[in-house]
Amino acid sequence: MSITNLLNNWSFYRNKRPYRGQYDLNKEYSEYKWAMALDLDICTGCNACTTACYAENNLPVVGKKRFHHGQVMHWIRIERYWDEKMVDFPEQGASFLPMMCQQCEAAPCETVCPVGATSHTNDGLNSQNYHRCIGSRYCSANCPYKVRYFNFWNYPSTAWPAPLPDQLNPDVTVRTKGIMEKCTFCVQRLNEAKSRARTEYRLVRDGEVVPACVQACPTSAITFGNIVDPNSKVAKMWKNQQVDLYKDLQEKDNTVRGYRILEDLRPFPSVMYMERIRDTEA
Amino acid sequence: MINTFEERDVAVEKRFIHKEKDIREDIAWAQINKDVLKSLERPRMLFWVIFIASLALFMVGVSCEIYQYQTGMGVANLDNPHVWGLYIGTFIFWIGMSHSGTLLSAILHIMHADWRKPIYRFAEAMTTFSLMTAGLFVMVHLGRVWQFYYVVAYPNERWTWPNFQSPLVWDATAIFTYLTSSMIFLYIGMIPDLAICRDNATGFRKSFYTFLSLGWMGTDRQWANFRVTYLTVACFLIPLAVSVHSIVATDFAVSQQPGWHITSFPPYFVAGALYSGCAAIITLFIVLRYVFRFEEYMTMPILEKTAKLTFAIAMVWTYLNLVEYSSTWYGDDMYAKQALIYRATGDFAPYWWMMNFLGSVVPFTLAFKRIRNNIPAMLVISILLNVGMWLERWMIVSPTFANGIYPWTWDHDQWPSLVQWGIVAGSFGWFNMLFMLFCKIFPSVSMYEVKEMVYHRSLVRKGTEDATQINPELAVEGGIAS
Amino acid sequence: MSESGINRRDFLKVLGLGGSSLALTGCGNTDIRSGDELIMPNVSPEDFVVPGLSVFYASTCTQCGSACGVMGRVREGRVLKMEGNPQSKISGGKICGLGQAAVQVQYNPDRLTQPMMKVGNGLQPVSWDKAMATLNEKVGPKSGIKGENFAFMTGAMSGHLKVLVQNYLDSLDSKNHFAYEALSPSIGFAANKQVYGVDMPRLHFDKAKLIVSFGSDFLGTGASPVHFAAEYAKFRKAPRGTLVQIEPKMTMTGANADRWIAIIPGTEGIFALGVANQLLKHSEFTNTVPAGIASLVSKYDPETVSQITGVRPELVGHVASLLWEKTPSIVISGASAEGHAHGVQNAVAIQLLNKILGNVGKTIDGQAKSPFPQIAPEAGSFSSLKAMNDAMGGGKLQAVFIHGANPVFTAPSFMGFRDNLRKVPFKVAFVNAADETAQECDLVLPILTAVEEFGSNIAWYQPEGVEITMQQPLMNKLYPDTRSMGDIMLDLVKQRRADEYKNWPDFFSYLKAAVINMKPAVKYTDTDEHFWYDTLSSGVIHIDAPQEQIGDSFAEAALSLPEVQNVQDPKFPFYLVPSERHYFRDGRHANCGWLQESPDPLTTIVWDSWVEIHPKTAASMGIKEGDYLEIASQNGTLKVKAYLFPGIHPDAVSIPLGQGHESLGRFANGVGVNPFTILNPVFEKDTGELAMFGTRVSVKKTSDSEIVVKDEGPVSTQMGRKLVVTLPADVAQLSKEI
Amino acid sequence: MIHRLLAVLSFVFLCVGTASAEPLKWGGPIGSQTSDGYNALGPVVKQPIEFPHYRHARDMGISCLYCHTGARRGYVSVIPRIDKCIGCHQNIESVRNKPRIKKLFEYWEKKEPIPWKKVNDLPDYVRFNHERHVQRFYFRQNRPIREVCGYCHGDVANMTVDRRVKSLSMGWCISCHQKDHRENDVSMKTSHGPYECWQCHK
């Protein structure tokens, strides 16, 4: 990139994002905006998504000691919360929350990375470029969801005793020490599907490609798709749940379940959660 | 009528100078040279002992860093999301330390507070060396330090730029600029003194000082140029110093972390920086005064002034600290409030309370003249203040990570590992080592400025008479600068 | 595809693509280079194999007994990932984490790579020739092994491998096929048999508006978790069903309940009868069961029930009114209700509710009946372990084969299984890794993993029709010195009956012939070869078999009141709940890093065992999280870390099963404790199964303490954040959602 | 004096500048290679069979895509499988006894893959998509295949064993991605290649 180029594109970097019309089916490089809808009522907290993510994205198994030090690398984790008002027993069960990178539109991590290793793609993903990363860990410090995971150790040399490396997905880089990583919405799958679709002069069909967690989820609690396409299931769900990608505070009916986590910090996440339901009369 | 620089100086001095006796006005200039140059003589055994100890401490840090470099950041016992630890805290500490030099030499220079003259040289050295130390921490902190050059904006084969939005890029730029400027400032200010050294040295040292003194002859033209240059660089340095620490503060203030996301952070940081810097000056003041027998120059009135200055800055800092707490407390930010409560009651509470005690209560001792004049007490207090300020930086960084916005990831077990402590300790060894070398290679008291000061004091006393008339010795051995 | 399975494997062999197989930044290639890496093009691959693009092969997951159809993602000759096979009605294209870990079983660094033979006290590698010669010598026709002195222990089994095992036993005139599962559903089967006349009815969770589950963790560890999870998802869609879970320790299913009720272990049946009593007072239910039963349950008024079960009395009526309001409902019992001396009685009492509510035929009906009884599943039981143990103890057995089970690990220590096994002169284990049982065996034969092997499976819970799921190799075998279990069995059968099996050189051809024989049942009209390839490529054979009839009348004799022994034992005051972790089951997969590092859903603990104890109990005993507790039963003591867990009855403590391996591999060895060892010899009266939940223990705090390694932070609530929001069901308008 | 000062200062800057310059990796700064900056002839790679590209592509006029079938449908361009070579060569008796062909048949008879060496070897974290480039420039813009492939691979049709001719560095990729290319052979509308990280980096 030359200086001229940098200056030409400066206004792009200075744009307030997201802005309406940022994603458009008619624009060549922003006809996709990948988004999720996650129904917390039918998520059972079974961890199938987590394991699928380990398999798909070459996540290292860190072992007990490192897990204890909080150096675990699960890109998607299942959080289990008890009710704050619980007396003796959790009579309404637990609250499970699968938490992965929310692919924020106004991502706090992107602005602070000194080297631009994390940046926004035209598809609305928050890309993490491993070999550009110098490991300042500022992005993790600034991530409100704490879904960025830093390679504190040289996992390639320890985490996969032979022949476990044979299982590694060749489409995903294995990360060495000193690098930040996070959920990518399985971008390797998205890229492949987009390439296939482009060859066939079409857009990626709804449901043609899903991340590993979505594919595994036994209850199909996660819906994934291109929110720019009004006919995709995920776009319909967002609309139905009255969650607007471009708004930071949703004005919605009380009966509607959609919300985005920590919306008040205005990161404009791409993952819509749907409230857990409990039968209070049961 | 003001026709010459000297006349102007005298006029200025007349207006601004305290009539206090902060230095004897009858010290012979040759005596000044002699006293100061004595500090450059072959060191005593004790010097080597301390030097080797510092070197050993530094090597501990180096080996820790090598271990960390080889193994990964995990050896520092950082975790997700507690990704920053002592490294960043100590980094801010050293950056803060660097502000005192600029304060003394640049700000007070412009303000014509000439009591700074005997002590600004080592303060400036401190600035340079603590910045160098701080720079090391940036490197130590990076996960892939071997790729640090990605932060530098330079045309490269990949056609990539750093992210100019990131405060870390501002940081890198600001620190680098500040480091180079303060090194230049230190060097420029030393040129007349280097010339004195040159004139008194032999052998290798002679050629060394000859090279560095850039042919300084003490001519009028040289003096004129020198003053303009020095003043210019000083003016340049002041905004730079303020901006450096403001930028370090924006590292925190622009982030979402509770407890960091505060607009008063930049002045708070600058105040804290000056505070710790002044405290460090007091410490070094006392040490140098004792070691090099600089009692004639580093006099008690100067110490007292420095202490008063420290006290004033401590109050500014305390005020800003209270502003931070109260704006958080009365504010609307649930996360920040929770983080504040956590600091006061959580795992870090002992350190947090100690920090507040050391930073805000201990300086009140400086309000008492008896304490200000008691050297051992001042030594202890100044060290305590610096401990407090170091704790402050740590308390800014760590508790926020341990108790941030997202409760699921609050800390399991976070205590800096030996590697972190080793590198922090090593940094003190490194600083100490550099400072000791400096004191033995360069005059740690500015000879020409002290001469100037003595001269002005005598002028103030005797009116505008020529100083040589009072002190005939001055005419001998080369005048103000040899 | 080429002609035979052997060739298919050959082509897989040449798929290997060098170089780019490992992409390690820092370690791998990070520069632009020339000539440093190799590209090994395929010699002659199938047309659809394009390097760089994945091929999905259908197969079956054998990680648990549910027989989910899966697909293996294959790139450059290596299987990389398992996905659900959408053609399978069981998995519905979905997969659980345990299934994902099949690839870690395959690439496990601790896999056994060559045959081992006992020399002295240790195992020494030998060649296959030597191993097979030994087999021939010890159990061949000339060995005199016959009939009663031979036993074959397997895990739960189905499909054509089971046929071969059966045939082998037949050739030896032996009836000693011991299908052993440590966590078997046999008690539930016995109860179902009494109530419905079948082992396992079909459960329609999706049709129910209310599920009342007595300790059944159908989402985590039930008969078919992936299938039930899908049904559960439908159940939660509009009109949203309500889940009530009654159990002593919260399971994953309990964590998803609208109402979770803690109950004293073993008293679930009483609670059910109390609910039945309330229901029978309603006029609409009075005639649903024989009058004798009504009078039998009438003594269980809420107060009595509350006294026995430790549940608040109003909850009895509450559950009854829920059942009355929300129809159709479904009431199920699970392991923690069944694993008692009166387990069958408990389960029958629970099933009584279904009868009263008329759920039979609505949410509960019969499974399809498989037309191929010889490949029908053998679910396995504990009693077979007991039988084998007795036979070994009696010195009757001369040779034992063990496949698919790890009895040395899972047998309770009171049985003395290890010592009894040592009495057998010749023991052979067929394993993937040298586990505890293999360590005791004289000959240990490394077999192929499920992803390298041909096979057929049929689950004992069939959601729709009968689904025979096919297994095919997803890659060439990783180690040349491992062999197909089917091939070994065929060789063994040939030792005795060479003539009958001479047409089949290997298991592949045997299986192919057998599958093609099924063609008429599927009404497939094309050629045999097409049928075979269609079967392999879809991975499943669907048979629309008629449903089994299930009984809809409830005989008075069927119900006998559960004999709850709710006495306080001062020496062992606590009930032990050995909980089944959904990714560990009986511990056979403990050596997968992914599973060890997958946090337990409720405690979020990893890489460890722990004892769950209610915070109130803990407070009264001064126990803090991480304190080591000594959990002692009559049969032993375990020292294990405490975890304060609100979802457990204050009189119970719970230790998860599956950890505490001594010899399974680097990820499992020395991790945690094995609660199987301290189980008491309490047996279910009707079936003779081990009553897993019948053990009483004492808890003693020790002075040791260690941090519990878990994903959860220091707080377990949301601290006022809006992370998971809960909406009352009456406010939500699910029917308007998409 | 001022000259000395300048001398010292420039010395300092030189030191700092050298220290902060990036280590000399392959590619180096812009313009450090050749006249256009990116023509960087790679080393000669010794292959197990000295495959004559010129014979096939130039003399016989075989399209690149005939053998490298993956280039139009996947990320990897694909070194042809051996039975593809054999498919033709078992019917070409005239060269059947040439040493290189004999070697080919040796591999075929042993059913062993030929261990070709990778010539255009990108770092492992880069995923170059052949399909997109071939689709865009060959199928849509209708440019000759040898030109399309040759942009990165050079004039392979005149080579024996392939040799890298471009630097294949990131700056080189971007220099082209920033150019406006016509959408197809009829339209005058142009667009440029994407330049976000995840398009190429995995």
Side-chain angles (χ1 to χ4, degrees), chain C residues 395-623:
Chain C
K396 271 194 274 181
L397 293 179
Q398 296 301 309
V400 173
F401 285 5
I402 300 173
H403 166 68
N406 188 0
V408 172
F409 176 74
T410 52
S413 59
F414 69 80
M415 297 181 82
F417 186 88
R418 195 190 293 246
D419 295 333
N420 285 336
L421 185 66
R422 283 178 182 159
K423 290 181 192 161
V424 180
F426 186 61
K427 301 148 301 232
V428 184
F430 305 89
V431 290
N432 290 138
D435 55 18
E436 288 83 352
T437 308
Q439 297 295 340
E440 298 297 329
C441 288
D442 300 299
L443 189 61
V444 185
L445 300 179
I447 57 171
L448 300 182
T449 59
V451 299
E452 297 169 331
E453 174 80 291
F454 275 105
S456 57
N457 290 276
I458 177 161
W460 53 263
Y461 183 81
Q462 292 289 348
E464 214 172 311
V466 173
E467 187 167 294
I468 300 168
T469 42
M470 296 298 298
Q471 230 175 299
Q472 66 172 321
L474 303 175
M475 65 181 288
N476 182 48
K477 64 180 177 183
L478 200 58
Y479 298 109
D481 269 354
T482 49
R483 282 192 67 190
S484 154
M485 183 66 193
D487 285 352
I488 300 174
M489 284 317 300
L490 205 63
D491 282 359
L492 286 171
V493 179
K494 281 179 185 169
Q495 281 182 354
R496 304 272 179 163
R497 296 179 177 171
D499 291 348
E500 285 175 44
Y501 288 87
K502 65 172 187 290
N503 290 339
W504 301 302
D506 54 16
F507 183 59
F508 166 75
S509 52
Y510 174 79
L511 182 74
K512 187 174 168 187
V515 168
I516 287 171
N517 275 341
M518 293 179 183
K519 202 172 81 167
V522 215
K523 305 184 183 76
Y524 193 89
T525 48
D526 212 336
T527 62
D528 288 356
E529 282 294 306
H530 276 143
F531 176 61
W532 171 244
Y533 290 131
D534 273 5
T535 305
L536 279 191
S537 64
S538 72
V540 288
I541 305 174
H542 269 292
I543 301 166
D544 291 326
Q547 276 184 358
E548 280 180 309
Q549 280 302 308
I550 64 169
D552 54 355
S553 66
F554 200 89
E556 214 166 308
L559 182 73
S560 56
L561 298 178
E563 296 150 27
V564 176
Q565 266 147 33
N566 206 358
V567 283
Q568 290 301 313
D569 185 343
K571 212 166 150 215
F572 299 108
F574 288 96
Y575 298 89
L576 176 67
V577 179
S579 58
E580 189 181 349
R581 284 182 69 179
H582 70 316
Y583 288 169
F584 278 78
R585 307 298 170 95
D586 60 356
R588 68 183 66 181
H589 301 300
N591 199 34
C592 294
W594 292 345
L595 301 183
Q596 288 282 5
E597 200 148 303
S598 169
D600 175 68
L602 285 162
T603 61
T604 73
I605 298 176
V606 293
W607 291 96
D608 213 343
S609 284
W610 63 93
V611 55
E612 286 160 26
I613 186 164
H614 195 272
K616 265 163 85 181
T617 319
S620 71
M621 299 174 75
I623 295 169

Side-chain angles (χ1 to χ4, degrees), chain C residues 192-468:
Chain C
N192 290 335
K193 199 97 188 165
Q194 274 192 34
V195 181
Y196 305 114
V198 295
D199 276 349
M200 187 68 201
R202 212 194 131 198
L203 311 171
H204 294 277
F205 291 127
D206 51 341
K207 290 185 189 160
K209 286 226 188 69
L210 173 69
I211 302 175
V212 178
S213 157
F214 287 86
S216 169
D217 185 15
F218 59 89
L219 290 176
T221 59
S224 201
V226 176
H227 170 70
F228 284 154
E231 294 235 309
Y232 167 81
K234 285 185 211 150
F235 161 80
R236 287 300 204 195
K237 296 272 164 64
R240 185 178 180 278
T242 303
L243 172 61
V244 176
Q245 184 90 358
I246 301 153
E247 58 191 359
K249 172 232 166 347
M250 184 180 268
T251 56
M252 206 177 83
T253 313
N256 288 294
D258 295 276
R259 166 65 75 146
W260 184 81
I261 298 171
I263 191 169
I264 293 175
T267 62
E268 290 89 344
I270 305 293
F271 189 87
L273 292 178
V275 175
N277 186 22
Q278 295 293 310
L279 285 175
L280 288 174
K281 284 179 185 160
H282 279 283
S283 54
E284 56 182 293
F285 295 126
T286 39
N287 294 324
T288 50
V289 287
I293 289 182
S295 66
L296 212 54
V297 301
S298 62
K299 73 171 186 184
Y300 292 113
D301 57 87
E303 258 62 44
T304 322
V305 171
S306 169
Q307 239 167 26
I308 301 173
T309 59
V311 179
R312 295 201 305 277
E314 69 269 20
L315 284 177
V316 180
H318 180 66
V319 173
S321 64
L322 281 176
L323 283 167
W324 178 68
E325 269 169 33
K326 296 177 192 279
T327 55
S329 58
I330 184 167
V331 185
I332 51 173
S333 70
S336 67
E338 290 161 0
H340 299 276
H342 51 278
V344 171
Q345 290 166 340
N346 259 353
V348 170
I350 289 161
Q351 299 296 351
L352 173 67
L353 290 174
N354 281 327
K355 290 289 181 181
I356 295 173
L357 296 160
N359 292 336
V360 181
K362 286 185 202 152
T363 53
I364 297 182
D365 57 24
Q367 289 196 51
K369 200 168 165 62
S370 164
F372 307 109
Q374 73 279 16
I375 61 166
E378 177 69 64
S381 65
F382 179 80
S383 41
S384 54
L385 175 74
K386 207 160 68 172
M388 176 157 153
N389 193 36
D390 293 346
M392 292 192 306
K396 271 194 274 181
L397 293 179
Q398 296 301 309
V400 173
F401 285 5
I402 300 173
H403 166 68
N406 188 0
V408 172
F409 176 74
T410 52
S413 59
F414 69 80
M415 297 181 82
F417 186 88
R418 195 190 293 246
D419 295 333
N420 285 336
L421 185 66
R422 283 178 182 159
K423 290 181 192 161
V424 180
F426 186 61
K427 301 148 301 232
V428 184
F430 305 89
V431 290
N432 290 138
D435 55 18
E436 288 83 352
T437 308
Q439 297 295 340
E440 298 297 329
C441 288
D442 300 299
L443 189 61
V444 185
L445 300 179
I447 57 171
L448 300 182
T449 59
V451 299
E452 297 169 331
E453 174 80 291
F454 275 105
S456 57
N457 290 276
I458 177 161
W460 53 263
Y461 183 81
Q462 292 289 348
E464 214 172 311
V466 173
E467 187 167 294
I468 300 168

Side-chain angles (χ1 to χ4, degrees), chain A residues 212-228:
Chain A
C213 53
V214 181
Q215 189 165 9
C217 179
T219 53
S220 311
I222 322 177
T223 312
F224 176 85
N226 178 12
I227 205 173
V228 187

Side-chain angles (χ1 to χ4, degrees), chain B residues 286-311:
Chain B
I286 294 167
V287 171
L288 288 183
R289 179 186 151 99
Y290 172 74
V291 170
F292 292 138
R293 312 243 177 272
F294 281 156
E295 285 91 347
E296 290 284 358
Y297 313 101
M298 301 185 179
T299 58
M300 290 315 284
I302 294 180
L303 178 64
E304 212 187 323
K305 277 180 188 140
T306 322
K308 279 180 186 163
L309 185 66
T310 311
F311 181 51

